[in-house]
Amino acid sequence: MNVDARSWLFTPGDRPERFPKAVASGADAVILDLEDAVAPDAKPRARRSVLAWLAQGHRVWVRINDRRSGYWADDVGALASSHGLLGVVLPKTESAADVEETAALAGVGVVALIETARGVENAGHIARAAGVVALALGSADLRLDAGLGDDPLAWAYPRSRLVFAARAAGLKGPLDGPDMQLDDALITRVQAEQARAAGFGGKLCIHPRQVSAVNEAFGYTRGQAAWARAVVSAAEHSHGAAVRVGGEMIDRPRLELAKRIVTAEQEK
């Protein structure tokens, strides 16, 4: 279960021919979707397709339908015994109980997708719920629910609330909502860079073309990697004292950042 993934790619659960393409896209995590990407009359078929894919030994995440929908119980019940299920993404999470009941019945960790004003206000409780592994911002639905516009200032509060709720609960930075522009990788890259600067740990994607831009934005440049290696090397001989590297005084927080970068580069 890789909750350190940068890019999380949604793929409609009723389009099994797309599953292999999603896995080959370079996304760190693939989410087979049973919710918004699937029409109501296609949900049973999508559930069967997802279960068949899992039964073949594939390891993916699944976005189920929300706890207050008429599909949630069937989704959770069907997935509970599935091998290869890395975890579930729970849309419209509004309370710790939403997460805890889902995790208990599904038997896997839950990415809590925050898509309503109530969910934003309860982010701290949700982040501390038993079974939660990450928070995620459902920007499209939140925009509708809260009446938010495009001005970045309108999004400062919900975005910061999720970031601080996640970190205070010991979780990684939350996942940013997807870029709805499918054909401009530059926009996706800029949005992902802004999300990372705001404290997010990854980003949801709705098209394979977005994956590389997100991975690059949440990765490290060659210069950053070289700096990190130099810092870690210098610290090995400092006996715990602050060190000077390239004219910069390296204290404990900067050393920890350097170690994080080195580890991330080694895991590529």
Side-chain angles (χ1 to χ4, degrees):
M1 184 171 62
N2 183 16
V3 294
D4 291 323
R6 301 160 296 175
S7 51
W8 297 64
L9 177 63
F10 283 111
T11 300
D14 61 342
R15 301 296 299 272
E17 73 278 6
R18 294 186 183 179
F19 296 175
K21 297 177 183 178
V23 172
S25 69
D28 290 340
V30 170
I31 306 169
L32 302 185
D33 192 10
L34 299 178
E35 197 220 9
D36 281 351
V38 180
D41 60 356
K43 289 186 186 292
R45 184 173 74 252
R47 194 181 298 119
R48 291 192 297 270
S49 295
V50 168
L51 291 172
W53 181 256
L54 289 168
Q56 294 172 25
H58 301 287
R59 295 174 60 79
V60 294
W61 294 76
V62 176
R63 177 164 71 170
I64 60 176
N65 288 275
D66 73 88
R67 187 171 174 242
R68 280 159 286 280
S69 74
Y71 308 102
W72 175 85
D74 288 339
D75 289 346
V76 173
L79 291 168
S81 59
S82 298
H83 296 292
L85 180 64
L86 295 175
V88 298
V89 178
L90 181 64
K92 298 179 179 63
T93 303
E94 295 188 336
S95 69
D98 289 345
V99 172
E100 291 168 353
E101 187 171 351
T102 299
L105 293 177
V108 291
V110 173
V111 172
L113 189 55
I114 310 298
E115 302 185 277
T116 65
R118 181 174 295 177
V120 171
E121 290 302 286
N122 290 334
H125 297 294
I126 294 169
R128 294 190 294 273
V132 71
V133 295
L135 302 183
L137 178 64
S139 48
D141 280 283
L142 182 58
R143 176 188 296 272
L144 181 65
D145 184 65
L148 299 179
D150 294 327
D151 191 327
L153 287 177
W155 291 90
Y157 173 74
R159 291 167 69 83
S160 293
R161 191 165 179 86
L162 262 63
V163 168
F164 281 90
R167 297 302 300 132
L171 302 177
K172 62 161 284 185
L175 308 176
D176 190 31
D179 170 21
M180 306 308 289
Q181 298 292 328
L182 303 181
D183 299 321
D184 193 332
L186 179 58
I187 292 178
T188 301
R189 174 68 181 263
V190 169
Q191 286 191 1
E193 289 173 346
Q194 292 172 343
R196 184 179 184 181
F200 284 77
K203 188 173 178 65
L204 302 173
C205 302
I206 56 175
H207 195 282
R209 280 196 291 268
Q210 299 174 332
V211 168
S212 61
V214 170
N215 285 345
E216 290 168 5
F218 282 94
Y220 297 99
T221 66
R222 292 180 180 177
Q224 289 171 321
W227 169 84
R229 290 192 296 270
V231 167
V232 171
S233 177
E236 290 177 351
H237 308 289
S238 70
H239 305 291
V243 295
R244 178 182 173 122
V245 177
E248 177 186 2
M249 183 60 68
I250 303 297
D251 56 7
R252 184 189 59 79
R254 295 292 283 168
L255 175 58
E256 290 303 314
L257 173 60
K259 290 179 178 178
R260 186 178 303 178
I261 294 172
V262 169
T263 299
E265 289 297 298
Q266 291 174 341
E267 292 177 349
K268 278 187 175 180

